Amino acid sequence: MSYYTEETLKMARELAAACHEAFGMIQTGTGGNVSARIPGEELMLVKASGGSLGSATEQSFLVCDFEGNLVEGTGKPTREAFLHGYIYKVRPDVNAVVHVHSPYAVAWSSTKEALPCCTYHSVLKMGNELPTLDVHAAMVREQDLPMVKEMLDKYPTLEGFLLANHGAVAMGKKPMAAEYCAELIEETAQIAVLKKQLGTLAPLEF
């Protein structure tokens, strides 16, 4: 049985479009990874390791289980597949994950502080500050899951978070929704960095 059906190939094209958008806006080089839940299965489409988001096609995605193990396809899953799968396990409302190494998100995450919603747009779209997880590694590992679980339990509708010195993780119902969330996180981080330099940084409430 192949999981590369007409439905999953359509999802792969949507993921490739999200990759291209991210590459054009906030991610350069070969970093970053994206995925989407396969409906009705404990499986996901995950971008293969290596290669730029800008060159992604529907053939760039592998079928993996929620532990990050390869089920179908040729290539090696991204090393962040384990994190993507865990998010799908505990957040049934999330169908797509976009992780990017966007520069201002990485810069802000180096403070190890939560990213405040410092613009009215971010307050309206995200609602609360975005936590930063300090996992002391270039990937989320099994021993880091209690930290991830605590965060997701505390913020059950969280749309994104930061990984210290690593970048942003955005979640959504569809690949492009997750990608737009990643763009908003990067925009908010950029403004937070600038406001901090000006001494005007403070969370907004209205």
Side-chain angles (χ1 to χ4, degrees), residues 117 119-130 157-160 171 177 180-185 187-188 206:
C117 288
T119 67
Y120 290 129
H121 189 203
S122 60
V123 172
L124 286 168
K125 293 292 187 180
M126 297 188 290
N128 51 252
E129 65 182 15
L130 302 186
T157 61
L158 189 69
E159 295 186 10
M171 301 171 281
Y180 289 152
C181 181
E183 290 185 23
L184 178 56
I185 293 171
E187 174 189 271
T188 305
F206 66 96

Side-chain angles (χ1 to χ4, degrees), residues 49-187:
S49 183
S52 163
L53 296 185
S55 60
T57 68
E58 65 181 53
Q59 285 77 39
S60 302
F61 300 94
L62 311 174
V63 178
C64 295
D65 63 23
F66 287 169
E67 303 301 319
N69 301 308
L70 180 65
V71 173
E72 187 177 4
T74 302
K76 180 180 178 182
T78 171
R79 59 189 175 187
E80 288 291 8
F82 184 67
L83 171 62
H84 290 235
Y86 184 74
I87 291 172
Y88 295 132
K89 283 182 186 179
V90 301
R91 286 285 301 274
D93 59 313
V94 172
N95 295 321
V97 176
V98 171
H99 167 52
V100 289
H101 303 162
S102 50
Y104 281 94
V106 174
W108 182 269
S109 73
S110 70
T111 68
K112 316 287 178 69
E113 299 173 3
L115 175 63
C117 288
C118 56
T119 67
Y120 290 129
H121 189 203
S122 60
V123 172
L124 286 168
K125 293 292 187 180
M126 297 188 290
N128 51 252
E129 65 182 15
L130 302 186
T132 296
L133 296 184
D134 188 9
V135 298
H136 300 283
M139 70 194 81
V140 173
R141 305 153 297 176
E142 188 170 1
Q143 62 261 40
D144 302 314
L145 291 185
M147 189 188 312
V148 180
K149 183 179 187 303
E150 180 181 3
M151 175 191 68
L152 294 177
D153 286 345
K154 182 177 180 182
Y155 302 101
T157 61
L158 189 69
E159 295 186 10
F161 58 94
L162 304 181
L163 297 172
N165 298 302
H166 192 174
V169 178
M171 301 171 281
K173 292 189 179 298
K174 293 185 177 181
M176 198 60 78
E179 196 286 324
Y180 289 152
C181 181
E183 290 185 23
L184 178 56
I185 293 171
E186 176 65 3
E187 174 189 271

